[in-house]
């Protein structure tokens, strides 16, 4: 799961990565500060993850992008809360480290 925006994803992503915006798996309570995020209802989170192809048997690699590590670690936290923590990995260094190690990007 590449965490970021559409423009960043289209600029280049690890082959097979699916785009995930933090807002896709977070809830913004009405009337609250837009920086305040809550866990979405379990049924909504399940729908979002299923739409991305995530199942209870998936190994999930969360890829930080230029948007920063904060959003990616929030995704890891959310996946852990959903019971997927043991199957979740954070790609250290994100797409920058991937390309520095010779990995190709898809567009």
């Amino acid at each position: 799961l590449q965490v970021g925006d559409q423009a960043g994803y289209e600029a280049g992503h690890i082959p097979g990565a699916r785009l995930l915006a933090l807002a896709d798996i977070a809830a913004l309570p009405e009337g609250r500060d837009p920086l305040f995020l809550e866990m979405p209802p379990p049924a909504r989170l399940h729908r979002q993850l299923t739409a991305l192809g995530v199942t209870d048997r998936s190994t999930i690699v969360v890829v930080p992008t230029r948007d920063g590590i904060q959003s990616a670690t929030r995704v890891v936290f959310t996946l852990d809360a959903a019971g997927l923590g043991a199957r979740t990995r954070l790609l250290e260094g994100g797409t920058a480290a991937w390309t520095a190690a010779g990995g190709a990007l898809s567009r």
Side-chain angles (χ1 to χ4, degrees):
L1 300 176
Q2 179 169 317
V3 182
D5 61 15
Q6 189 70 35
Y9 183 79
E10 290 174 359
H13 57 274
I14 294 173
R18 304 281 179 100
L19 175 62
L20 176 67
L22 182 57
D24 293 338
I25 60 166
L28 177 61
E30 192 171 324
R32 299 291 295 265
D33 182 322
L35 297 178
F36 185 87
L37 300 175
E38 291 184 352
M39 295 288 290
R44 178 177 162 224
L45 179 58
H46 183 264
R47 281 192 306 274
Q48 292 295 104
L49 294 175
T50 299
L52 290 166
V54 175
T55 70
D56 62 353
R57 291 178 285 180
S58 297
T59 297
I60 306 153
V61 179
V62 177
V63 181
T65 60
R66 66 176 182 243
D67 293 342
I69 190 75
Q70 297 86 354
S71 294
T73 54
R74 172 60 192 241
V75 169
V76 170
F77 171 78
T78 300
L79 293 170
D80 184 50
L84 298 168
R87 298 175 177 276
T88 301
R89 309 291 183 267
L90 180 65
L91 181 62
E92 185 177 345
T95 52
W98 175 264
T99 56
L105 295 178
S106 292
R107 290 182 174 75

